[in-house]
Every structure is written in C-alpha cells, then in structure tokens.
Amino acid sequence: FITGSNASMLSRELGTHLTGRYIRKELFPFSFEEFLRFKGVEYPEIGLLSTNEKALLKGQFNSYFELGGFPDYLKSGNREYLKSLYESVLYRDVMVRNNLTNEMELLELVYYISSNVGKLMSYNSLAKVVVVKNASTISNYIAFLQDSYLIFMVNKYDVSLKKQMQNAKKGYLIDLGLLRMLAFHHTEDNGRLLENLVYLDLTRKGKEIYYHNQKKECDFVIKEKSKIVEAIQVSWSIEVESTYNREIAGLLEAVNTYGLKEGLILTESMERDFEVAGVRIRIKPVWKWMLE
C-alpha cells in the first residue's frame, strides 16, 4: 500500500513506474454512513425505521452537516486541526509542489470559492476577483487545488467537450467542517452547503457529475457511458412557492432534455412522491438518500 495526499503523485508519478500493476483507491472524509459507524449508532433497514429512530438519525445528520467527516477533527473537536490541515495542503501540496510563490492569490481564490459553493463562476470572473491578469493562471491554480483534493469544479453538461471547458463551472469543497472554517456562511446558505454534501456523496460513489443550465438550472445531472441517466435538484426546503416553482422547473427541463422519466429533489426533511406533466418527481431527505 502506498498512500499520498496528492492526486498528481499517485496518477502521474507512480503510474509511470507501476503501469498496469496498481489499483488506485480514493479515500474521502467520512460519508454519513461511516460517520454513524464511527459514532457507534446502529439502525435497522431504512424502510423499517421507527419515528424515534428517524429522529435519532436526523439529529446525527445535523451533527454531520455541522462538523463534516474528518476523523481526527471528530475525535478532538479542535478547530486548530482543520486549520493546520488546510495550511498543510495549501503550502505543501499546492505551493511547494508546484513552485508557486504568490500565497495571497491562492488564499483569496480558495476563500472566494468556499464562500460561493454551488454558484456559477468562470475563470475570467475569478481572475477579476483575485486580481490576476490572466485567466490561464486561475486555470492552473484550480488544477493544482483539484489535484490536492481541496476543491472540485463541475462542468456544465454539453455534448461538445470544448463548450464544457469554456462554460462557467460550479465549485465545491472536500468537507463541510473545513468549508465552515474557511468561509463565513449565513443560515440562508444551508441549501448550498447541502448541495456541497450531495456532490461529495455522488463523487464518493464514483459518479460522473455535471450541472444542467439552459433556460433553467438543475444542480446535478449524472452521466453513465454516453448519456445522462439522472437529474437531481438540492434545496434546503421547497415549502416557499417561488422556491418550489424554481426547483421543479429546472428539474423538469433537465428530465425532458435528456429523455428521463423521473427526477429527484433532495431536501433537509421533506418526503413526497408525485407527478408533474407526466414526470415522476421524488422528494427525499438528504440523510435518508445517503443511507439507501
């Protein structure tokens, strides 16, 4: 077993020497299921949960949503651990490894992305925010940050690979505990934090993830082989009519665009199943979806 915290080390350098003789395994911070095991929480099959068991799992999910999934941080509760982890990744895995000298540009870039997870951003717009002359510099920085597993960028789905590269992207961070330490978030940001958590779970399961954006937006569309097979919206709550209408409209556009029969909306607690314009809409609590 050879371990390392940087994707480029494992894929490019070791791959050169061990071509065809190694299996790459990516380890992420705890999933919700692993978090429950770590906490010693036992529960029956999801379909057999009692009201009390649902309340227990929902309470544990709230804790997971707040703390994230880094084991050492969950053991100690010491925020200094997250700070030192972040600095270690930024300085060792990103700056030293790639011979970078402008610390402030990287700090501002990570801060901006972590403060705007789930929002559309282009390399040109990021260059203006960070005050970098060339968007290609931002592109390089983001490639280094992705190699270090600190951030992930999601492309808009398009059959043209060139357009995928040119379109605005959405950024997510490796862990919610780390995300909360890096940037200040209001309660109204909970929907975007939930979206980050769903992204991580999809990534952990090895899904090929894009977002959809034509007239409306759908948070995630999942590709298998050469086609889109699933459309997912994420919202903290859809009880407000304007939010409900927006989420349904974006989901329906994605479902119809890719010839799907149903769409999924993940929320903090709602659970419903219904049809709109001949399309089955499933609404599930994120915690339940993560344990299925």
Side-chain angles (χ1 to χ4, degrees):
F1 291 87
I2 303 174
T3 66
S5 58
N6 195 287
S8 62
M9 180 191 83
L10 295 176
S11 58
R12 287 200 284 272
E13 294 165 13
L14 286 178
T16 304
H17 302 290
L18 298 172
T19 305
R21 291 174 291 165
Y22 76 102
I23 295 172
R24 173 175 158 179
K25 178 73 176 174
E26 290 181 313
L27 292 179
F28 290 83
F30 284 158
S31 66
F32 182 42
E33 184 183 2
E34 290 165 337
F35 177 87
L36 291 173
R37 261 188 274 150
F38 177 78
K39 294 284 186 181
V41 177
E42 296 182 359
Y43 56 93
E45 287 181 35
I46 291 302
L48 304 174
L49 292 173
S50 68
T51 305
N52 285 343
E53 285 163 339
K54 285 180 182 177
L56 169 68
L57 290 177
K58 180 62 175 62
Q60 289 292 336
F61 177 77
N62 291 343
S63 177
Y64 177 63
F65 184 68
E66 186 68 31
L67 299 172
F70 279 119
D72 276 2
Y73 177 54
L74 295 175
K75 283 178 188 174
S76 68
N78 184 357
R79 286 176 65 83
E80 286 300 311
Y81 167 77
L82 291 179
K83 186 172 182 288
S84 67
L85 178 66
Y86 169 61
E87 288 174 351
S88 173
V89 170
L90 191 75
Y91 296 116
R92 186 191 66 197
D93 284 353
V94 179
M95 292 191 66
V96 172
R97 184 170 191 80
N98 298 291
N99 298 314
L100 303 178
T101 54
N102 201 322
E103 173 189 353
M104 193 51 64
E105 288 177 357
L106 273 169
L107 287 171
E108 288 180 2
L109 180 61
V110 174
Y111 178 76
Y112 183 82
I113 293 173
S114 59
S115 301
N116 292 277
V117 289
K119 290 186 177 180
L120 298 181
M121 51 188 83
S122 68
Y123 291 156
N124 284 325
S125 67
L126 288 171
K128 289 175 185 173
V129 168
V130 181
V131 195
V132 171
K133 290 179 182 178
N134 201 323
S136 64
T137 303
I138 294 293
S139 175
N140 289 334
Y141 284 172
I142 283 177
F144 300 148
L145 290 165
Q146 287 193 113
D147 269 350
S148 72
Y149 290 90
L150 187 61
I151 68 164
F152 304 90
M153 303 301 283
V154 173
N155 289 331
K156 174 185 172 182
Y157 180 73
D158 198 292
V159 288
S160 162
L161 190 58
K162 185 179 179 182
K163 286 184 181 176
Q164 278 185 26
M165 302 303 291
Q166 290 171 343
N167 283 317
K169 303 173 189 320
K170 293 168 74 170
Y172 301 98
L173 258 76
I174 183 64
D175 178 76
L176 284 200
L178 192 62
L179 177 54
R180 291 178 190 278
M181 188 212 69
L182 288 176
F184 178 73
H185 287 278
H186 296 279
T187 358
E188 51 263 37
D189 292 334
N190 278 347
R192 291 193 289 110
L193 297 183
L194 203 63
E195 188 179 325
N196 198 122
L197 202 61
V198 169
Y199 169 79
L200 290 173
D201 208 62
L202 290 168
T203 301
R204 202 180 275 110
K205 291 169 180 170
K207 302 292 185 184
E208 189 175 347
I209 309 163
Y210 298 89
Y211 73 88
H212 166 87
N213 194 342
Q214 291 179 359
K215 291 179 181 175
K216 311 287 182 185
E217 185 180 328
C218 181
D219 294 325
F220 301 117
V221 289
I222 309 303
K223 183 184 173 191
E224 286 182 7
K225 295 180 180 176
S226 60
K227 63 178 185 176
I228 297 297
V229 296
E230 191 174 6
I232 302 171
Q233 288 283 50
V234 184
S235 180
W236 186 255
S237 167
I238 56 170
E239 290 174 1
V240 176
E241 187 178 358
S242 59
T243 306
Y244 173 87
N245 290 338
R246 183 185 69 241
E247 301 296 340
I248 293 289
L251 190 61
L252 286 176
E253 184 182 270
V255 165
N256 291 326
T257 299
Y258 307 113
L260 307 176
K261 293 179 179 177
E262 65 176 47
L264 175 64
I265 300 178
L266 297 172
T267 69
E268 182 257 349
S269 58
M270 185 183 286
E271 187 161 16
R272 280 180 64 195
D273 233 28
F274 58 96
E275 275 198 12
V276 175
V279 174
R280 183 187 178 202
I281 306 290
R282 293 180 300 135
I283 303 177
K284 287 186 180 181
V286 168
W287 67 265
K288 195 171 186 180
W289 171 79
M290 291 179 88
L291 294 177
E292 286 177 345

